[in-house]
Amino acid sequence: MSRHIALIAGSSQQSSQSAKVAHWLAASLQRQSCETSVIELGQQTLPLWPEADSKGVWPEISATLRSADALVVISPEWHGMASPALKNLFMYAGRAELAHKPALLVGVSGGQGGSYPLAELRASSYKNCRVCYLPEHLIVRNVEQVMNPGEPASEDDQRIRARADWAMGLLLDYTNALAPLHERHRSPPADWMNGM
């Protein structure tokens, strides 16, 4: 069964390493017979929540997220934190888009970092939307040197590509296992719509 995976490139920069990684991962998923959509927050800029979305970007992003069976959430590390654009997206996204859908977190770093944004997103971004982060994650370190077009440039590049392919397969296993839960639990009783 073909699955639709939405990949969110969480950088607000128009041409970002996060977007490069998102497109590389999308190609990996396509090789596994998946349909993919890449949401680049540097291209589809959401106003800071709760401002009105006068450009109409949110309805398009919402429709993509609603149609997705699973997510890949890619966050650059900016001063040890998740990007503001990505945190803002989670203010917009709710149960209708994300409840009980599996999501793989991917950190992106120009150096040896990348883990702090993942911890931050695990701690706070799931509460109201109920996205289900996998216990595994992926960190793409020294991102400028890896996942570029063509053959692997180094042993590190080869290793992260193999790890990424494995992580995409794991995400698909979770996607198949959790598929029935989104429909069944995205609309709980009104008293329990928000987390405790």
Side-chain angles (χ1 to χ4, degrees), residues 99-101 132 175-187:
H100 304 285
K101 289 183 182 181
C132 294
T175 303
N176 291 330
L178 293 180
L181 295 181
H182 173 70
E183 286 303 318
R184 193 172 341 150
H185 294 295
R186 70 178 173 177
S187 298

Side-chain angles (χ1 to χ4, degrees), residues 34-45:
C34 291
E35 176 189 342
T36 62
S37 299
V38 177
I39 299 166
E40 291 187 44
L41 296 180
Q43 303 289 335
Q44 295 175 282
T45 306

Side-chain angles (χ1 to χ4, degrees), residues 45-104:
T45 306
L46 285 167
L48 287 178
W49 186 87
E51 266 186 46
D53 183 11
S54 58
K55 294 181 183 177
V57 175
W58 175 245
E60 181 182 340
I61 293 173
S62 174
T64 299
L65 295 175
R66 284 172 188 254
S67 71
D69 298 302
L71 305 165
V72 178
V73 179
I74 302 153
S75 180
E77 183 173 51
W78 290 352
H79 302 286
M81 296 181 285
S83 71
L86 192 51
K87 296 286 283 190
N88 189 46
L89 176 128
F90 281 107
M91 297 297 292
Y92 279 88
R95 288 178 178 274
E97 290 84 16
L98 303 178
H100 304 285
K101 289 183 182 181
L104 177 73

Side-chain angles (χ1 to χ4, degrees), residues 9 20 31 42 45 53 63-64 71 84 88 92 98 105 112 128 135 137 145 147-148 163-164 175 185 188 193:
K20 176 189 82 173
R31 288 190 297 272
T45 306
D53 183 11
T64 299
L71 305 165
N88 189 46
Y92 279 88
L98 303 178
L105 285 170
Q112 289 299 308
N128 289 338
H137 57 258
Q145 284 81 47
M147 292 183 167
N148 293 310
R163 176 71 185 234
T175 303
H185 294 295
M193 285 302 287

Side-chain angles (χ1 to χ4, degrees), residues 105-125:
L105 285 170
V106 178
V108 172
S109 175
Q112 289 299 308
S115 62
Y116 289 126
L118 306 187
E120 180 181 350
L121 291 167
R122 283 187 193 281
S124 64
S125 63

